[in-house]
Amino acid sequence: MRHLLSIDDLDRAGVERICERARSFADIARRDIKKVPTLRGRTVVNLFYESSTRTSSSFELAAKRLSADLVSIKSAGSSVDKGESLQDTITTLSALGPDAIVIRSPFAGAAQLVTRWTDAAVVNAGDGKHEHPTQALLDVYTLLERIGPLDGKRIWIVGDVAHSRVARSCIRAFALMGADVTVAGPPTLIPRGIEGLGCRIRYTLEELAEADVVYALRMQHERMVDAFVPSLREYAINYQLNPRRLGARQLVMHPGPVNRGVEIAPETMDGPTSLITAQVASGLVVRMAILYEILAGGDVPRIAGSTPGSAEQLRPLPVGEPA
Ligand code: NCD
């Protein structure tokens, strides 16, 4: 895999390989010294044109744990503020010779465009309403760790599907892993044709009891140009995930950030069936695995004198050894 732009860049074996690798990084994360020299000498640029807490911090930490050199750029405070175009920004950054560019943009297709203007491997960290493949991969990993293989598992994705790149990547990823995926929400927030990605559609939560996992989506106010629901209160009455609607064995997920009390009730969010914090923890090790897959796995040149995944590459850095 040269770039990760969409879940469609992966087959099931690829997803399993990334999750397996993430598991080995999770073992390393439990050691005292959490840093490995795997990507020493490689450079990663994180370029975020939209707000982010989880994705940007976990990509940063992932690169650092793998000993890559890292440059993090947010649109605020960079020349993007001064009106520099995406193409000029990528050309400029590419002159610094990065091996990977991780990009988040409000525009669907931005990550794909970036591949034309750089020799670096490109990772899509969210492009408008289009896709957010690394989120879906960390969600698959979180579920594999908790409930094992997803074959035949019923996963409901509830809420603002229309504006959600997370939904578009998760439907693809969960279906690829054999799950039976349903999207549910008000008709105004379920885009026409979404079933083509491999899911069923429901406009009410009447059959929610069948779900093994319920994945809540945030209302994406920043992408709404119209009023899509009469009010948030009415949305919550009909679609909020709360103890009244959910059984004791139904697992709950959310990509964050959460509008507490809108798409999910605080007691559900903080309750024992919530995987929300586990999802954040998975973000780090899965993004390490993705950087590994792109920069050290497969057919790209290997780090001199070592084999990807070898004990040598995964050994922790001795204290004092330069990273
Ligand atoms: C998601 C995003 O940015 O698409 N957040 C994230 O990456 N954890 C979901 C959202 O903003 O609602």
Side-chain angles (χ1 to χ4, degrees):
M1 181 174 63
R2 166 116 176 85
H3 307 289
L4 177 59
L5 307 175
S6 160
I7 287 295
D8 289 341
D9 292 328
L10 289 160
D11 55 13
R12 184 173 172 147
V15 175
E16 284 165 354
R17 189 173 61 243
I18 287 171
C19 290
E20 191 56 43
R21 181 75 58 196
R23 215 162 280 132
S24 72
F25 287 134
D27 291 339
I28 292 171
R30 283 187 281 272
R31 298 177 186 166
D32 285 344
I33 296 165
K34 299 173 169 50
K35 199 159 171 159
V36 289
T38 316
L39 296 185
R40 194 189 296 176
R42 302 300 187 97
T43 303
V44 175
V45 171
N46 280 349
L47 181 56
F48 277 68
Y49 284 89
E50 264 191 350
S51 335
S52 172
T53 301
R54 294 154 194 77
T55 310
S56 61
S57 58
S58 58
F59 262 118
E60 279 193 24
L61 203 49
K64 287 177 178 165
R65 291 268 175 98
L66 293 170
S67 303
D69 293 322
L70 173 74
V71 179
S72 287
I73 297 165
K74 314 252 178 215
S75 48
S78 72
S79 290
V80 173
D81 258 359
K82 301 178 184 168
E84 188 166 58
S85 71
L86 178 60
Q87 181 170 3
D88 288 345
T89 304
I90 296 299
T91 307
T92 302
L93 292 170
S94 296
L96 304 176
D99 297 288
I101 296 178
V102 177
I103 176 158
R104 166 168 290 191
S105 162
F107 302 110
Q112 172 80 54
L113 271 179
V114 168
T115 63
R116 296 195 198 162
W117 303 321
T118 184
D119 291 333
V122 177
V123 179
N124 181 6
D127 61 333
K129 296 189 283 187
H130 178 227
E131 276 221 43
H132 192 354
T134 67
Q135 176 71 42
L137 289 170
L138 74 88
D139 292 328
V140 167
Y141 173 80
T142 305
L143 284 172
L144 291 177
E145 290 299 283
R146 181 70 177 243
I147 58 175
L150 302 191
D151 300 281
K153 291 284 187 311
R154 292 186 175 154
I155 307 181
W156 278 51
I157 300 175
V158 177
D160 182 1
V161 178
H163 300 96
S164 177
R165 54 195 176 206
V166 172
R168 285 175 181 74
S169 289
C170 279
I171 295 167
R172 288 179 164 99
F174 296 156
L176 185 64
M177 299 308 285
D180 174 358
V181 185
T182 300
V183 298
T188 46
L189 292 177
I190 304 290
R192 214 177 292 175
I194 192 83
E195 62 275 25
L197 296 183
C199 59
R200 290 186 311 166
I201 297 175
R202 292 290 179 268
Y203 297 115
T204 72
L205 299 189
E206 276 162 28
E207 299 162 51
L208 190 68
E210 69 164 41
D212 300 298
V213 177
V214 187
Y215 194 115
L217 298 171
R218 183 176 67 86
M219 290 293 255
Q220 307 260 316
H221 304 288
E222 73 276 24
R223 294 188 217 288
M224 293 186 187
V225 283
D226 265 318
F228 283 80
V229 288
S231 72
L232 289 181
R233 197 172 153 271
E234 189 166 323
Y235 174 83
I237 290 171
N238 291 304
Y239 298 99
Q240 185 188 76
L241 303 186
N242 56 39
R244 206 165 36 79
R245 285 215 162 91
L246 293 167
R249 279 193 306 279
Q250 290 181 294
L251 296 172
V252 176
M253 302 178 82
H254 191 300
V258 174
N259 294 307
R260 266 181 189 261
V262 178
E263 62 262 3
I264 185 164
E267 56 272 43
T268 297
M269 186 178 164
D270 303 328
T273 56
S274 169
L275 297 181
I276 298 173
T277 310
Q279 287 173 269
V280 179
S282 300
L284 172 59
V285 291
V286 169
R287 287 176 174 126
M288 287 172 78
I290 289 164
L291 290 177
Y292 178 95
E293 173 85 12
I294 275 192
L295 295 178
D299 45 31
V300 291
R302 292 169 176 181
I303 296 170
S306 69
T307 314
S310 68
E312 194 261 323
Q313 276 202 329
L314 297 179
R315 99 191 129 84
L317 276 181
V319 183
E321 182 175 334

